[in-house]
Amino acid sequence: MNGVLHYGREGGTNGWLVTDLKPHVSMRFKDMFKGIPFGSVPPFFLRDRPSIVADLDWFMQRYPMTLSEAAETKLAEGLSAYRDHLAKIEAIKCEGYTPPLLGGFRDGEAPMPYQSRAADLLRTTGRLLLLDDVGLGKTVSALAAIADGWGLPAAVVVQPHLSAQWVVQYIERFTHLRAVEIKDRAARALQVADIYVFRYSNISAWVDMVEPLGIKTVIFDEIQELRHGRATSKGVAAKSFCDAVEYRLGLTATPIYNYGSEIWNVVEYIAPGALGTWNEFLTNWCTSHGSHWIVKEPEALGAFLQDEGIALRRTNEDAEVSALLPGLSKAVIEVEWDAGAVQTDQELQRKLALRVLGGGFQDSGRAARELNMMMRHETGVAKDSSVAAYVRTLAEAGEPVLVGAWHREVYDILNNRLSDLRPVMFTGTESAPAKRKARQAFMDGETNVMLMSLRAGAGLDGLQQRAAHVVYAELDWSPQVHVQFTGRLHRHGQTRPVTAHFLHVDGGSDPAIMETLGLKASQSHGILNPFGGMGEATPIDESRIKQLARMVLDREESA
């Protein structure tokens, strides 16, 4: 025999202990189980998780080992359970599968078949990261799983501006369940309910109430809010929620805003340990780029998550849903740079660019942030007059328009130039009541122009019933922000083809942003769409701000 396999507990964690491996077998073992540090020698400890038994069994086909009594029993049980688990997942995902009829919906309301399929997968596995495209009704899929009483009571955690929408437009509209919207930042006694709707901004105050309330299921809407993991207070609180419940569901079309390594934090809430420890994940899946980690093979990671039943992803192009949504087209249009609208401090930009490229770590970081803010602000202002003219053309033709921007001065200029059209605002500055009032004015036809922050309104529903045109006055570094924003209109309930208008200039930060989006798109696209043929992540030679800095210096040299 080539070694001994034990099963037990080490450091409070259940797992597999491998001892007495022969040197050549040890080398092979470390080749397969990449989380084991290079240069280490047996004994090796592997944390127990569903897929590990299959990997161990496969390895022992080539290198048989002696099994302790506990290991032999656990391996046999684990293999049987894992194979049954995969068989059930494959059956649910099969094209000809008919989901069971799930009750609990009001008369006249029912989930789509693909929504019932997602609900059935959650009920089968007890954990799911639902990554359906924006607008495919992930909320209804979540309610389909629990509407008949399964997994209740449940906690739903949402962004603040979505809590009322969850209660009124979803829970009360589709089901007979009793819901309580929790706005408080201090824990108190709550009335008995089926669903408790919390906010990411207040869950820290309620972690000690999860068990007393008897909550069995936690649903994280827009779970990308947790992509920074336990580095934030809401991340720590979310982990406490997960530890106290039986079932976990995460909803998002955009789990990655920047770099693919964010997916580890997201998955850890839904399926703890599925991607190994953080160090194992970095070793197995990632490569470093500066201070960031990117996934080497996004498609492979995406396929693994879906094969294991951890994630489920349907797109607008899938046969099961394509007939239910209108088309989406993108218009990428170069507009004029209004030099008279901005005062460009080229000397300061040059100095900042030099510090970004040649300064020390802290000095370079400060310069990068300052250069980024300066260039993006300048770019937004310089094309504002062209953006306003473009939006006016659509609005005066009778087309309601959703306009995405970022900087306050950009909003101010657009408001001034379009004042006769009475635009409304939905940005990070307005209060929740003001946002609701703006939304209602747009929906009632009091105006054809809504100005919205690019990173506001995630999950906002209903605008698709009014508008079919999105105009980007400013661009974001992350393509997933654009996906989310366009999804405000391109979603279930839209009856017309949607057009996203990307207005850009040949100057400022726009060229660097458009180039950088190639990498970030490949990270998210591969993980979300593992069978889409993207291959490995697009390589990058420089960080996004260094690209911007080089463009500034190149401009100075050519002037």
Side-chain angles (χ1 to χ4, degrees):
M1 290 294 175
N2 299 283
V4 182
L5 180 65
H6 311 263
Y7 185 82
R9 195 169 182 83
E10 182 174 297
T13 302
N14 289 329
W16 302 90
L17 184 66
V18 182
T19 64
D20 303 317
L21 284 181
K22 295 179 180 180
H24 72 287
V25 179
S26 178
M27 292 173 58
R28 296 290 188 183
F29 195 83
K30 287 186 288 185
D31 283 341
M32 179 170 178
F33 298 96
K34 296 291 187 181
I36 299 174
F38 176 78
S40 61
V41 297
F44 299 135
F45 182 78
L46 302 174
R47 291 202 310 168
D48 190 19
R49 54 182 184 268
S51 62
I52 204 74
V53 294
D55 293 338
L56 284 169
D57 182 67
W58 182 84
F59 184 83
M60 288 189 293
Q61 301 300 316
R62 176 67 178 83
Y63 299 103
M65 286 189 262
T66 300
L67 276 64
S68 69
E69 184 176 345
E72 185 174 8
T73 300
K74 186 66 178 179
L75 191 68
E77 293 175 348
L79 278 172
S80 177
Y82 183 63
R83 288 165 179 161
D84 288 346
H85 172 78
L86 291 184
K88 290 177 181 177
I89 291 171
E90 285 305 311
I92 292 172
K93 290 167 32 178
C94 181
E95 184 177 344
Y97 180 75
T98 301
L101 294 176
L102 302 175
F105 273 60
R106 292 184 180 276
D107 291 343
E109 302 287 358
M112 301 285 186
Y114 69 86
Q115 293 168 332
S116 294
R117 187 191 297 260
D120 196 19
L121 185 57
L122 172 64
R123 291 166 71 132
T124 298
T125 65
R127 60 182 190 178
L128 182 63
L129 184 58
L130 185 56
L131 304 174
D132 285 353
D133 262 351
V134 174
L136 296 190
K138 292 180 288 295
T139 304
V140 176
S141 296
L143 292 178
I146 61 176
D148 65 354
W150 179 92
L152 295 180
V156 176
V157 185
V158 305
Q159 295 172 328
H161 68 281
L162 296 177
S163 60
Q165 176 175 287
W166 258 87
V167 173
V168 177
Q169 293 183 229
Y170 293 123
I171 299 171
E172 293 181 352
R173 171 189 167 186
F174 287 101
T175 78
H176 299 280
L177 301 177
R178 297 164 297 170
V180 174
E181 181 185 2
I182 302 167
K183 305 176 183 179
D184 311 55
R185 291 179 180 266
R188 57 177 173 79
L190 295 173
Q191 65 188 86
V192 176
D194 298 307
I195 302 178
Y196 300 92
V197 181
F198 298 93
R199 302 175 175 186
Y200 285 105
S201 57
N202 69 8
I203 55 173
S204 295
W206 292 90
V207 292
D208 293 333
M209 293 293 292
V210 178
E211 290 189 21
L213 290 171
I215 293 173
K216 295 180 181 178
T217 302
V218 62
I219 300 169
F220 294 108
D221 189 29
E222 304 298 344
I223 196 175
Q224 72 273 8
E225 286 285 324
L226 302 177
R227 66 190 182 277
H228 299 302
R230 283 177 278 180
T232 64
S233 58
K234 63 185 175 186
V236 173
K239 179 63 167 58
S240 296
F241 269 61
C242 290
D243 290 344
V245 303
E246 296 178 48
Y247 313 113
R248 298 177 293 276
L249 173 64
L251 309 176
T252 182
T254 54
I256 300 167
Y257 268 34
N258 293 300
Y259 296 93
S261 54
E262 292 173 355
I263 195 69
W264 184 86
N265 283 323
V266 173
V267 171
E268 192 69 6
Y269 287 103
I270 301 303
L275 294 177
T277 65
W278 171 243
N279 287 332
E280 289 173 338
F281 174 71
L282 296 184
T283 301
N284 292 334
W285 294 104
C286 298
T287 185
S288 64
H289 174 70
S291 60
H292 304 288
W293 292 93
I294 61 172
V295 175
K296 292 179 290 189
E297 298 181 66
E299 288 186 352
L301 178 54
F304 170 76
L305 292 174
Q306 296 203 42
D307 287 347
E308 293 292 312
I310 296 167
L312 178 64
R313 163 79 167 169
R314 279 78 60 85
T315 71
N316 295 331
E317 288 73 38
D318 288 0
E320 196 172 21
V321 299
S322 60
L324 305 175
L325 281 178
L328 170 65
S329 59
K330 298 178 182 179
V332 181
I333 301 167
E334 183 175 332
V335 296
E336 292 186 7
W337 176 287
D338 185 358
V342 293
Q343 293 182 342
T344 302
D345 191 338
Q346 293 188 355
E347 179 59 22
L348 177 57
Q349 289 179 3
R350 187 183 72 83
K351 290 179 178 178
L352 288 171
L354 289 171
R355 284 166 55 195
V356 168
L357 296 173
F361 179 75
Q362 291 185 344
D363 186 52
S364 176
R366 286 193 297 268
R369 290 188 292 273
E370 190 173 344
L371 181 63
N372 178 40
M373 292 177 63
M374 176 184 291
M375 295 291 287
R376 289 183 68 190
H377 174 265
E378 175 187 292
T379 304
V381 172
K383 63 181 176 180
D384 238 5
S385 59
S386 296
V387 171
Y390 194 93
V391 171
R392 178 178 292 279
T393 299
L394 289 170
E396 289 185 344
E399 288 290 349
V401 187
L402 181 64
V403 182
W406 181 253
H407 289 94
R408 179 54 48 184
E409 188 175 353
V410 172
Y411 297 134
D412 291 343
I413 294 172
L414 289 174
N415 267 313
N416 181 58
R417 290 183 175 272
L418 301 172
S419 59
D420 57 307
L421 299 179
R422 303 184 303 279
V424 294
M425 300 276 288
F426 195 112
T427 73
T429 302
E430 291 75 40
S431 65
K435 289 177 180 177
R436 287 195 292 270
K437 182 178 179 181
R439 176 189 179 279
Q440 197 59 48
F442 186 67
M443 295 299 297
D444 290 344
E446 297 175 16
T447 177
N448 274 348
V449 180
M450 173 180 273
L451 307 180
M452 180 179 284
S453 172
L454 288 171
R455 298 199 176 209
L460 186 66
D461 199 8
L463 300 183
Q464 71 273 22
Q465 297 168 15
R466 178 97 213 287
H469 289 271
V470 177
V471 172
Y472 286 94
E474 296 186 84
L475 303 179
D476 195 282
W477 288 105
S478 171
Q480 296 311 306
V481 170
H482 300 145
V483 171
Q484 281 274 13
F485 197 82
T486 301
R488 306 283 68 77
L489 302 186
H490 191 240
R491 62 194 300 118
H492 182 63
Q494 175 64 261
T495 59
R496 297 190 293 157
V498 173
T499 303
H501 308 258
F502 292 85
L503 308 188
H504 67 98
V505 289
D506 185 18
S509 60
D510 274 2
I513 291 178
M514 295 178 74
E515 182 178 346
T516 301
L517 292 180
L519 163 80
K520 292 189 176 180
S522 73
Q523 288 284 284
S524 60
H525 187 283
I527 294 172
L528 291 173
N529 305 287
F531 311 110
M534 284 288 289
E536 294 187 359
T538 305
I540 36 175
D541 300 320
E542 303 168 333
S543 72
R544 63 192 192 187
I545 307 301
K546 284 188 176 181
Q547 292 181 48
L548 185 58
R550 290 190 182 279
M551 288 183 179
V552 169
L553 296 179
D554 289 344
R555 179 193 66 192
E556 292 297 311
E557 291 175 0
S558 62

